[in-house]
Amino acid sequence: MLIKNGLVYDPLNGIEGEKMDIFVKDGKIVESGDGGETIDASGFVVLPGGVDIHSHVVGSKVNLGRLMRPEDHRKDPVPKTEITRSGVGYTVPTTYITGYRYALMGYTTVMEAAVPPLGARHAHEELNDIPMVDKGAFILMGSNHFVMKYVAEGDLEKLKNFVGWLLKATKGYAIKLVNPGGVENWKWGRNVNSLDDKVENYGVTPREIVRSLAKVNEELGLPHSIHVHCNNLGSPGNSSTLIETVGSIGAEMGGPGSGESTNETLKGTAERIHITHIQFNSYGGEDWATISSAAEEVAKTLNKKKNATCDLGQVIFDDATTMTADGPWQHKLYKLTGNKWYNSDVEMEVGAGIVPYTFKPKSLVNAVQWMIGLEVALLVEDPWRVVLTTDHPNGGPFYHYPKVIAWLMSKKAREETLGKIHKSALSRSTLPSIEREYSLYEMAIVTRAGPAKLLGLKNKGHLGVGADADIAIYEFKENDIEGSFSRAKYVIKDGEVVVKDGRIVKEHWGRTFLVNPKGELMDEMKEEFSKYYTVSLDNYPVQPEYLPRCEVVPCR
Amino acid sequence: MRLLLNTGRTVDQGVSMERGKTSSEYFEKVAVAFIHPDDMKELGIDEGDAVRIETDFGSTVLKCVKGGTEKGTIFVPMGPWANVLTGPNTEGSGMPSLKGLTAEISGTKEKVTTLDDILRMLGG
Amino acid sequence: MGEVYKNVVCPFCGCLCDDLEVVVENGKVVSTKNACPISKTKFLDHSKDRAKPQVRKDGKLIEVSMEEAINKAAQILKESEFPLIYGLSSTESDAQRLAVELAEFIGGSIDSTASTCHGPTIVAAQGCGAVKCTLGEVKNRADLVIFWGCNPAEAHIRHSVRYSVTPQGMYVRGKKERFIVHVDVRETRTSRMADMFVKVEPGKDYELLSALRAVIKGYEVGDVAGVPAEMIKQLAERMKGCRFGIIFFGMGLTMSSGKHMNIDAALRLVRDLNDHTKFTITPMRGHFNVAGAGEVLTWITGYPFAVNFSRGYPNYNPGEFSAVDLLFRGECDAALILASDPVAHFPIGASQHLAKIPTVVIDPKVSLTSLIAEVVIPCAIAGIESEGTAYRMDGVPLRLRKVVDSPYPTDREILEGILRRMKGC
């Protein structure tokens, strides 16, 4: 296949809007071609397929979200076609519709950000029913019994062993922490309120859990960093928790508060931390009445700490379904809104909660939240350390990403929305005064090149020779940025045209990424497992049958 | 005599179902009505006697088992015999009326309804 | 000596016990360990009473080839204008996925046995949510366990031993550290395990649940639903005062007068209790993979049961697209029954329509529905003769094993065969 005369943006290879030809063979980008299909991309922009570093698309919690919201689905029924299956969209789309809508936007890789180990089999079953995209699963570990036990014992070797084994047993991709320690306390109806609160019965603190897993993550050489949903998420004044969390990682190298870029960081041996949906943890103020943006301070921290990265969790003014493993936060949100509430605790490991929510421009709190996400994106200088997400479906559904792109690329687009929000919000954030507008190149970084790099997916996010032929081609119209990126002209997945003129033309089945770190279960772990779990250890690891199409990403 | 009818699972119903629904064991364990001893006395029946049970939806003859239920109520294990008595109207919920039905019970000299009788009722 | 399979998952009820030991000799199960009486029978008698491929000719079921039976099934579905696919609960999730695909392809309705067990539970949860947990949370933490309108001693036999009453958990060690309550209209074997039995008047569960909510919110109540005021107060105090409580409930709530409103009251009671302590609630699911049927339907269609595809996209409406209603109103003109036996468990007023229309039955055994069917297609027993995923009553997914070969294809293969024929012709 030849993609001719397109304007190529390929930040990982330093290509910024060059007119060039791209050759594809056997699902890969190659040096030169010999015939086959030719796509005339004259006047179009050519980008690597989008990479979503954080989304909730499958598994027990997402499916409970679907289950509890028939009123949501009824707003967006999707009929079958000759090529595609039917389903529903809106805030918690069904698996097939999830795949189609990502593809229509030009996204070709999606990471499910929160999988309870005991539910991993379920998550993989659903991943196998998401067409079009490649995918992976982050495994929840921040309140895992064995993790906290070995952190308490200060035994990083055992911790490493366990973490490595768990990633393999669950066929997971990365270590995910959600309100570390707090989710265990929620199992008694309580929470932790700071990095140094103790987890009941274990005596460990969130700080110790985060630091230990960050260390283990690098010693195992995992491709992605630890992926952290901080403590105190959603609460006014919680930016201090976020800043402290970031500060606690890599601090040993240069004393507290340090962690500037060093050779070690570049070599990848230093500890890294990815703060997810940073918007939800960048609040100033003391309560809901005084809530304000702490984005400036947060961005300052990120600008200094080169080992920290983030994704936005941008709020969209629309319906959402909030769902996180942060049980106590979801309970709080239920109490705040009075909306229906699902809670789902998982033995020995984690929990989850789900509450429907609507972000309204005339709500002061929601308006501030909306500003914060964009503010962080525009104040963090290095786009390689910022990723565009809405924490789907928490801040809003993923198919609104083109809206976020428009806000980032156009001050005018921001001003239009600023004109519609609660007036008191305007003075609580610096967003109105920010001039920066993302270039197409920067947009390509925060939606594909950056996340691919942070995930350690070497064949994704770029169009160099050897890369997977996941390519998105858009007709870019400066006066309709949102429209430009909502419906790709062409999407090529693994070398095949799957989207043409904003329609699915072929159903394609992507693969699931896994890691294969060192780590075996020790006898003492087996004994404890059989005592406290309600399933046999034999039946716990996800069997190979659940990974019909997979690719092991090597450790570093 | 008017009693309240409940249906549900029993161990014997479960085991005999796995043995086979056309087996004699299934018939023995499922074509039964559990009745409180006081009600049995009032009905003038002994354990093992046949009783005719009638609801708004149908009527069947079952073998009486003593006890296992409260006074004023009878219990019939889930299965084809209970199905004759339960109501298909779900009141828009999808769930038929399988518990808390009003039933008229009397002793009878008739034979216990067989599976074949029920299949005939189905018109199958 | 036969072959020994360890930690086999039991394919009978929603407990999905996964510690069975199964011994196989000459292609037959000869013994089991750890199995309850029902499970044991299911394994030992797996080869008995098997269905045969049959097609009804001149009013009589005649044995035919598998090929002919599957062809006939495809033809019936093809000629139908408003078909119903029903059951799903006693097979594995890949077969369930194919059943949904088939329903979508033919533009029919699809419903699982949930509509006649915990359909009302789902409807209620859609109204207010639910506070649930996996069974290990109960084993490790629950010091107050309430069985409401259910009888695990007869229907979920090892539930009490593995999860809820006697196991040694991390923070609760055995029965002596748990307080067990049974609320029901009659004393059963389950009451014998309980420290407190609360006898509720039949059909009055909603009133009693509401009274408990009122007391927990600080109101005074009198005697309600035949339960003395003092007892209600006592139970409410226990609920507020425990460290970790759980209500397991069954069809005593879902099938009684009030149906989903009973569950709504129970779910809200538990929700309220989380203002005071940790409290959770879990339905006792019957068929071993009825929970999986809900999961699969939900991730593909957005809806857990009672789904219709007539418009080309999924529509959900219990009471309209639920099997008993479609049958009782005589609306569907053909049916495919998979992994369940409605004639054994539906009110006869619904089954009568099944006997009238061409009904295809896929079942490993002679079921009562197979006796009135137009086409019978025998299949392998999921979890004994074929592998696949099943979801426990609390949503935990486990892989079923194959311990013996089957003379028949799996549900999955049969459904694939029907789909292939329909797409081909």
Side-chain angles (χ1 to χ4, degrees):
Chain A
M1 179 189 289
L2 163 63
I3 299 162
K4 219 173 61 180
N5 288 332
L7 208 56
V8 175
Y9 288 83
D10 181 6
L12 275 165
N13 293 304
I15 296 166
E16 185 170 1
E18 279 175 44
K19 196 181 220 186
M20 53 193 282
D21 295 343
I22 289 171
F23 297 95
V24 172
K25 202 181 169 189
D26 299 331
K28 297 277 177 187
I29 310 252
V30 292
E31 196 89 47
S32 59
D34 45 1
E37 195 178 353
T38 300
I39 292 172
D40 183 4
S42 312
F44 298 152
V45 299
V46 178
L47 303 177
V51 177
D52 197 338
I53 201 170
H54 185 110
S55 186
H56 300 280
V57 288
V58 296
S60 47
K61 156 175 67 27
V62 174
N63 222 27
L64 281 175
R66 295 187 189 109
L67 173 86
M68 80 190 285
R69 301 216 64 188
E71 78 287 0
D72 186 272
H73 310 326
R74 286 184 176 120
K75 294 172 191 162
D76 192 4
V78 184
K80 66 177 175 182
T81 70
E82 293 278 304
I83 296 160
T84 54
R85 298 280 301 271
S86 70
V88 295
Y90 220 59
T91 69
V92 210
T94 49
T95 52
Y96 282 85
I97 306 309
T98 299
Y100 302 146
R101 289 200 174 166
Y102 265 113
L104 290 172
M105 259 189 346
Y107 269 65
T108 49
T109 303
V110 178
M111 290 290 158
E112 162 54 51
V115 172
L118 192 56
R121 193 172 286 100
H122 177 174
H124 285 291
E125 281 220 289
E126 284 196 39
L127 285 177
N128 290 333
D129 265 353
I130 294 192
M132 316 308 284
V133 293
D134 292 336
K135 45 239 167 178
F138 297 172
I139 304 302
L140 291 156
M141 298 195 195
S143 287
N144 183 293
H145 166 75
F146 289 102
V147 168
M148 292 188 295
K149 180 184 151 104
Y150 296 129
V151 170
E153 289 172 9
D155 195 332
L156 284 196
E157 276 311 305
K158 281 186 189 164
L159 180 64
K160 199 160 72 178
N161 235 344
F162 175 75
V163 168
W165 172 79
L166 191 63
L167 282 169
K168 286 185 285 192
T170 54
K171 302 284 189 278
Y173 190 75
I175 299 174
K176 174 75 182 296
L177 293 86
V178 171
N179 184 5
V183 182
E184 166 61 28
N185 277 4
W186 173 242
K187 292 179 170 182
W188 301 117
R190 292 183 277 273
N191 196 358
V192 292
N193 297 310
S194 85
L195 273 177
D196 298 310
D197 271 12
K198 290 244 189 296
V199 182
E200 287 177 41
N201 298 306
Y202 290 91
V204 294
T205 64
R207 184 189 303 275
E208 290 162 349
I209 297 170
V210 175
R211 291 182 62 156
S212 305
L213 284 174
K215 217 178 183 71
V216 158
N217 191 83
E218 303 315 319
E219 288 187 16
L220 288 170
L222 296 175
H224 187 35
S225 58
I226 55 167
H227 194 99
V228 184
H229 158 141
C230 293
N231 303 105
N232 285 332
L233 177 133
S235 307
N238 63 10
S239 62
S240 57
T241 309
L242 160 68
I243 291 166
E244 245 187 286
T245 304
V246 171
S248 72
I249 300 303
E252 278 161 20
M253 298 184 310
S258 134
E260 277 91 8
S261 180
T262 64
N263 285 337
E264 268 186 297
T265 318
L266 296 176
K267 271 190 299 188
T269 52
E271 289 153 29
R272 301 164 295 161
I273 183 167
H274 180 84
I275 303 290
T276 190
H277 38 70
I278 197 162
Q279 174 274 129
F280 286 111
N281 250 90
S282 302
Y283 302 156
E286 275 156 19
D287 51 29
W288 295 112
T290 59
I291 190 170
S292 62
S293 165
E296 251 190 314
E297 222 186 322
V298 166
K300 214 176 278 170
T301 305
L302 282 168
N303 284 334
K304 206 164 68 180
K305 295 272 294 184
K306 308 285 192 219
N307 58 342
T309 58
C310 72
D311 64 81
L312 298 182
Q314 175 62 36
V315 156
I316 308 291
F317 292 121
D318 201 348
D319 290 329
T321 301
T322 70
M323 51 174 73
T324 73
D326 196 342
W329 159 245
Q330 297 291 153
H331 178 246
K332 206 190 269 179
L333 194 60
Y334 147 63
K335 296 299 282 186
L336 277 168
T337 61
N339 289 346
K340 50 190 173 183
W341 167 50
Y342 239 107
N343 178 84
S344 174
D345 292 337
V346 180
E347 64 207 61
M348 309 292 287
E349 299 177 345
V350 68
I354 308 154
V355 179
Y357 192 82
T358 304
F359 291 96
K360 298 174 182 144
K362 295 294 182 202
S363 146
L364 172 61
V365 172
N366 294 164
V368 171
Q369 290 177 309
W370 173 80
M371 295 167 88
I372 292 173
L374 299 173
E375 211 184 342
V376 172
L378 295 165
L379 292 178
V380 172
E381 290 151 10
D382 179 4
W384 290 98
R385 294 195 287 118
V386 175
V387 181
L388 190 158
T389 67
T390 58
D391 184 19
H392 164 82
N394 282 288
F398 66 83
Y399 47 81
H400 289 315
Y401 285 0
K403 264 191 215 305
V404 186
I405 293 175
W407 286 323
L408 292 176
M409 291 186 68
S410 158
K411 179 150 200 261
K412 191 165 150 253
R414 295 200 290 272
E415 274 164 357
E416 266 169 36
T417 309
L418 282 166
K420 291 177 193 155
I421 65 172
H422 196 290
K423 292 285 167 275
S424 309
L426 298 174
S427 61
R428 299 192 185 196
S429 148
T430 65
L431 186 68
S433 66
I434 298 177
E435 297 296 327
R436 183 176 173 190
E437 290 181 337
Y438 272 33
S439 64
L440 266 176
Y441 188 75
E442 287 174 309
M443 189 283 293
I445 294 172
V446 300
T447 56
R448 40 267 284 162
K453 191 178 171 201
L454 295 182
L455 287 165
L457 292 171
K458 296 205 162 57
N459 299 328
K460 298 292 178 195
H462 72 102
L463 299 173
V465 170
D468 292 339
D470 297 353
I471 306 164
I473 303 174
Y474 304 95
E475 186 176 5
F476 179 67
K477 296 181 188 140
E478 200 128 14
N479 58 359
D480 183 16
I481 299 173
E482 184 184 342
S484 307
F485 292 107
S486 295
R487 291 168 303 278
K489 276 310 260 190
Y490 292 92
V491 177
I492 290 136
K493 178 80 192 73
D494 293 315
E496 289 190 89
V497 176
V498 293
V499 171
K500 197 176 166 185
D501 291 325
R503 296 172 72 94
I504 305 283
V505 294
K506 185 173 192 301
E507 193 167 84
H508 178 87
W509 291 94
R511 50 201 179 282
T512 301
F513 293 115
L514 331 168
V515 289
N516 190 25
K518 289 203 177 84
E520 295 306 325
L521 212 55
M522 299 159 64
D523 285 343
E524 60 165 71
M525 297 175 190
K526 290 180 186 166
E527 199 178 305
E528 205 156 296
F529 188 105
S530 67
K531 258 198 207 151
Y532 300 129
Y533 270 93
T534 53
V535 300
S536 310
L537 181 56
D538 268 3
N539 292 319
Y540 185 79
V542 174
Q543 292 84 353
E545 283 86 345
Y546 295 90
L547 281 296
R549 298 167 295 271
C550 61
E551 180 181 326
V552 175
V553 175
C555 289
R556 300 176 340 145
Chain B
M1 181 178 188
R2 245 177 160 38
L3 295 173
L4 205 73
L5 165 69
N6 280 314
T7 66
R9 293 181 204 279
T10 69
V11 176
D12 289 340
Q13 167 261 332
V15 171
S16 61
M17 171 174 81
E18 289 303 327
R19 203 77 85 202
K21 288 180 191 129
T22 55
S23 68
S24 58
E25 189 180 335
Y26 189 64
F27 176 74
E28 290 292 322
K29 301 297 186 190
V30 181
V32 297
F34 292 82
I35 307 177
H36 192 271
D38 291 356
D39 294 329
M40 283 172 61
K41 201 178 284 173
E42 205 169 315
L43 284 162
I45 53 168
D46 290 319
E47 184 152 45
D49 285 358
V51 286
R52 176 162 282 282
I53 306 175
E54 193 172 348
T55 66
D56 287 349
F57 308 102
S59 162
T60 186
V61 177
L62 300 174
K63 192 172 77 180
C64 166
V65 177
K66 190 174 176 176
T69 193
E70 302 294 325
K71 189 169 156 52
T73 69
I74 54 168
F75 180 86
V76 178
M78 62 192 284
W81 289 271
N83 295 344
V84 176
L85 303 168
T86 53
N89 192 341
T90 77
E91 294 159 343
S93 72
M95 171 63 84
S97 301
L98 304 179
K99 289 189 195 287
L101 296 136
T102 308
E104 189 67 40
I105 292 127
S106 52
T108 179
K109 294 272 175 274
E110 296 166 276
K111 275 205 184 127
V112 172
T113 308
T114 65
L115 189 56
D116 282 340
D117 296 334
I118 293 174
L119 290 173
R120 264 194 296 279
M121 287 183 213
L122 279 167
Chain C
M1 249 328 271
E3 206 167 339
V4 182
Y5 294 85
K6 288 192 169 162
N7 295 319
V8 171
V9 178
C10 169
F12 182 73
C13 82
C15 283
L16 230 56
C17 301
D18 75 332
D19 60 345
L20 270 53
E21 204 174 297
V22 178
V23 183
V24 174
E25 273 174 28
N26 304 321
K28 278 198 175 145
V29 176
V30 293
S31 72
T32 60
K33 224 190 252 176
N34 294 341
C36 75
I38 303 177
S39 170
K40 188 174 176 169
T41 312
K42 180 157 185 175
F43 273 97
L44 291 178
D45 288 4
H46 72 96
S47 61
K48 291 192 190 137
D49 210 23
R50 297 301 291 259
K52 292 184 179 67
Q54 291 173 313
V55 169
R56 195 172 290 273
K57 291 177 183 170
D58 301 326
K60 275 191 126 158
L61 282 169
I62 308 291
E63 191 169 342
V64 296
S65 67
M66 278 300 279
E67 179 71 15
E68 186 180 339
I70 294 175
N71 281 340
K72 180 75 184 166
Q75 189 199 340
I76 286 172
L77 292 175
K78 191 160 183 263
E79 287 168 1
S80 159
E81 287 188 8
F82 198 58
L84 165 69
I85 298 181
Y86 174 78
L88 282 70
S89 299
S90 288
T91 190
E92 43 83 33
S93 65
D94 277 345
Q96 293 167 342
R97 289 164 70 220
L98 284 161
V100 179
E101 188 177 346
L102 182 59
E104 181 188 81
F105 184 76
I106 61 183
S109 300
I110 183 162
D111 191 22
S112 85
T113 63
S115 66
T116 58
C117 58
H118 279 287
T121 302
I122 293 165
V123 170
Q126 287 171 333
C128 64
V131 188
K132 66 176 278 277
C133 66
T134 69
L135 293 167
E137 285 295 289
V138 180
K139 167 176 158 175
N140 287 329
R141 296 175 207 261
D143 56 348
L144 175 63
V145 178
I146 301 174
F147 295 106
W148 195 309
C150 61
N151 188 6
E154 307 238 15
H156 299 87
I157 297 173
R158 294 182 68 219
H159 191 280
S160 63
V161 183
R162 279 174 57 81
Y163 311 123
S164 53
V165 179
T166 54
Q168 304 277 320
M170 192 178 285
Y171 303 107
V172 186
R173 292 177 181 84
K175 187 169 188 299
K176 63 180 189 304
E177 293 185 14
R178 290 190 184 90
F179 192 83
I180 312 294
V181 180
H182 184 216
V183 186
D184 211 337
V185 295
R186 60 183 184 121
E187 278 196 56
T188 64
R189 291 187 199 181
T190 297
S191 327
R192 284 176 224 157
M193 306 189 291
D195 300 297
M196 179 179 186
F197 175 67
V198 180
K199 193 172 125 187
V200 55
E201 278 176 31
K204 294 281 171 66
D205 298 275
Y206 182 84
E207 286 84 339
L208 182 57
L209 287 159
S210 302
L212 282 165
R213 280 190 82 191
V215 172
I216 282 155
K217 285 182 185 291
Y219 297 98
E220 294 276 332
V221 299
D223 299 354
V224 175
V227 183
E230 191 47 42
M231 200 174 203
I232 297 174
K233 217 171 127 189
Q234 228 181 64
L235 182 56
E237 283 311 313
R238 280 213 177 264
M239 292 172 104
K240 267 167 84 169
C242 70
R243 280 201 304 165
F244 187 113
I246 178 137
I247 296 176
F248 289 109
F249 66 99
M251 291 185 264
L253 280 187
T254 63
M255 287 177 176
S256 299
S257 173
K259 293 169 186 168
H260 57 280
M261 292 311 292
N262 298 333
I263 316 303
D264 182 271
L267 297 179
R268 286 174 198 265
L269 167 64
V270 168
R271 201 167 82 166
D272 294 349
L273 281 162
N274 278 278
D275 291 346
H276 304 279
T277 183
K278 185 78 183 194
F279 222 99
T280 58
I281 182 162
T282 292
M284 300 287 260
R285 307 302 299 266
H287 289 74
F288 74 88
N289 200 22
V290 62
E295 297 285 0
V296 169
L297 266 159
T298 302
W299 85 59
I300 300 178
T301 74
Y303 308 112
F305 69 107
V307 176
N308 171 273
F309 285 102
S310 300
R311 290 165 181 263
Y313 57 79
N315 251 307
Y316 165 66
N317 202 8
E320 185 179 9
F321 303 125
S322 33
V324 170
D325 299 274
L326 286 169
L327 292 169
F328 179 48
R329 289 195 303 260
E331 289 178 349
C332 49
D333 60 354
L336 171 69
I337 307 299
L338 169 73
S340 74
D341 190 2
V343 170
H345 303 124
F346 277 6
I348 203 161
S351 302
Q352 271 161 345
H353 189 65
L354 271 183
K356 248 185 247 164
I357 58 174
T359 295
V360 178
V361 171
I362 304 175
D363 204 299
K365 299 267 188 153
V366 175
S367 72
L368 299 187
T369 313
S370 74
L371 299 178
I372 57 108
E374 190 79 4
V375 180
V376 181
I377 306 173
C379 62
I381 305 174
I384 297 178
E385 299 169 343
S386 73
E387 292 190 318
T389 316
Y391 290 75
R392 206 164 69 176
M393 61 169 69
D394 55 352
V396 170
L398 288 165
R399 188 153 185 89
L400 304 166
R401 304 270 194 91
K402 172 182 172 169
V403 294
V404 290
D405 287 326
S406 173
Y408 299 113
T410 62
D411 290 312
R412 192 165 53 227
E413 289 162 341
I414 293 165
L415 289 167
E416 273 166 354
I418 294 175
L419 257 168
R420 204 167 42 238
R421 281 166 180 79
M422 295 197 66
K423 284 179 175 172
C425 51

